[in-house]
Amino acid sequence: MAVGDCTCDIDSEDRNKSQALRFKLAAIASILVAGAVGVCLPILGKTIPALRPEKDVFFIVKAFAAGVILATGFIHVLPDAFSNLTSPCLSGEAWQFPFTGFVAMVAAIVTLMIDAFATSYYRNKANPKPNGVDNLEIEEGKSEKGEENGDHGGGGGLHVHTHATHGHAHGSAASLSSQISGDSADHIRHRVISQVLELGIVVHSVIIGVSLGASESPKTIKPLVAALTFHQFFEGIGLGGCIAQAKFKCGAVAVMSLFFSLTTPVGIVIGIGITNVYKENSPTALIVEGIFDSASAGILIYMALVDLLSADFMNPRMQANPKLQLAANASLLFGAGCMSLLAKWA
């Protein structure tokens, strides 16, 4: 049987602590720079007219970023979770249950709930019902009722005049309120998306950082340095595009960008610190990494499909422009392809 050939012992071949440490330090520097550059490109791109969120090119950049995030969930994170939670090192009948898919599904559902509740909460908080409009609606209703009851004469004439005035005021207020509400709703939506997306990326980034930092095999670490550098760069572009659309204040943008840039390097430092006690094939490590990877995959897949791709590809502006649709689809496939190719090394 295949299980009989498997071992839970740590492979001692190609272990060189000092050389591995040098590669880890190089990984910290390169991943930190790549993540920072990636997340800052779309944010700083707002100063370039062609890369502003209202331009067509931004749709293409976001499609590429969404492809990267989608491939991260399906190709990088989910297979690792399956590998961990179906390892022969986990004994017992309980682990025959497909926990990977279950946790990913629950994470996606919880993300949907958080997405919906957070958007609803902030929208209601930002746009309370204006009392003036409600009063106008009430007065207009009274006016219409009066007309239906057949009010005539001087009082009736005055009533009709008042109703017309109120109707005009109500229409203007409703139009203005609708426009403000629509802009505010989009603004709030982008903020919620960027924060939930960062949560999913951060969970995954810390785990891969710890795994790299705890390894003592230069042969394993060397290809990971280049692969994870590109990995963080592409993920940074995806997150940066969402942050740019959210229009946070400068302080919040700096905190979110710095937080993303530091997660994998901090994970590597943690991994270096626990090298002597961390065993990648221990049941505890496999379960913790598997569950967190599964949850991260569920979040990333949901965010890529629902909040990034669906929102943009169903946008009336893109629907009305076949050339933009074609370019966005090509960009999506290119982004997903690039990230999938990196799975060969990381």
Side-chain angles (χ1 to χ4, degrees):
M1 291 177 65
V3 174
D5 297 329
C6 295
T7 178
C8 297
D9 297 328
I10 298 175
D11 189 4
S12 60
E13 294 182 6
D14 299 323
R15 296 181 71 180
N16 186 325
K17 209 166 185 178
S18 60
Q19 188 178 6
L21 182 59
R22 287 198 295 271
F23 282 123
K24 291 174 191 177
L25 295 176
I28 290 173
S30 63
I31 291 173
L32 178 63
V33 172
V37 171
V39 76
C40 288
L41 272 179
I43 296 170
L44 298 177
K46 290 193 297 183
T47 59
I48 303 172
L51 294 179
R52 286 177 182 168
E54 63 270 14
K55 299 294 184 180
D56 289 347
V57 176
F58 194 79
F59 279 95
I60 299 171
V61 172
K62 270 193 73 181
F64 174 85
V68 167
I69 292 168
L70 190 62
T72 299
F74 274 120
I75 308 298
H76 290 260
V77 188
L78 204 56
D80 286 346
F82 270 114
S83 177
N84 288 333
L85 295 180
T86 58
S87 171
C89 302
L90 296 178
S91 57
E93 292 184 3
W95 297 106
Q96 294 178 7
F97 182 80
F99 277 106
T100 305
F102 177 75
V103 173
M105 176 189 72
V106 171
I109 294 173
V110 171
T111 303
L112 168 66
M113 292 177 178
I114 293 172
D115 204 3
F117 284 127
T119 303
S120 175
Y121 171 77
Y122 287 115
R123 184 179 295 171
N124 291 335
K125 186 177 178 181
N127 297 307
K129 272 192 174 183
N131 293 328
V133 173
D134 286 348
N135 292 336
L136 288 172
E137 288 175 351
I138 293 170
E139 290 180 18
E140 181 181 3
K142 288 179 180 178
S143 174
E144 288 173 350
K145 187 175 180 181
E147 284 182 349
E148 289 172 1
N149 290 336
D151 291 339
H152 298 291
L158 178 61
H159 193 78
V160 171
H161 173 74
T162 306
H163 170 63
T165 307
H166 282 172
H168 175 72
H170 171 68
S172 301
S175 176
L176 181 60
S177 175
S178 176
Q179 183 179 356
I180 295 172
S181 178
D183 293 341
S184 181
D186 287 341
H187 190 201
I188 292 167
R189 186 92 185 108
H190 290 311
R191 289 195 169 191
V192 173
I193 289 170
S194 61
Q195 290 170 338
V196 176
L197 179 60
E198 179 154 21
L199 174 65
I201 292 175
V202 162
V203 170
H204 168 57
S205 296
V206 171
I207 290 173
I208 60 176
V210 170
S211 300
L212 189 150
S215 177
E216 293 183 350
S217 171
K219 189 176 180 180
T220 302
I221 298 172
K222 193 175 180 179
L224 281 176
V225 175
L228 291 179
T229 298
F230 284 105
H231 183 279
Q232 288 299 102
F233 176 73
F234 289 144
E235 274 192 347
I237 291 176
L239 179 61
C242 292
I243 293 174
Q245 279 192 303
K247 298 178 182 177
F248 287 106
K249 292 181 179 179
C250 292
V253 171
V255 169
M256 292 183 73
S257 302
L258 188 64
F259 194 58
F260 166 77
S261 304
L262 289 175
T263 47
T264 302
V266 167
I268 296 173
V269 172
I270 294 171
I272 294 172
I274 63 173
T275 299
N276 295 328
V277 296
Y278 178 83
K279 295 180 181 179
E280 62 181 8
N281 288 331
S282 70
T284 302
L286 290 171
I287 292 170
V288 171
E289 287 185 20
I291 289 176
F292 275 102
D293 272 341
S294 300
S296 178
I299 294 171
L300 294 177
I301 291 169
Y302 168 86
M303 296 300 295
L305 290 175
V306 178
D307 284 335
L308 299 180
L309 291 175
S310 178
D312 282 352
F313 278 62
M314 296 302 165
N315 189 303
R317 183 172 164 187
M318 186 179 287
Q319 292 282 310
N321 191 338
K323 289 184 179 179
L324 181 58
Q325 275 186 303
L326 185 62
N329 278 284
S331 182
L332 168 64
L333 293 173
F334 182 62
C338 288
M339 203 62 179
S340 300
L341 184 62
L342 287 177
K344 180 175 173 61
W345 300 280

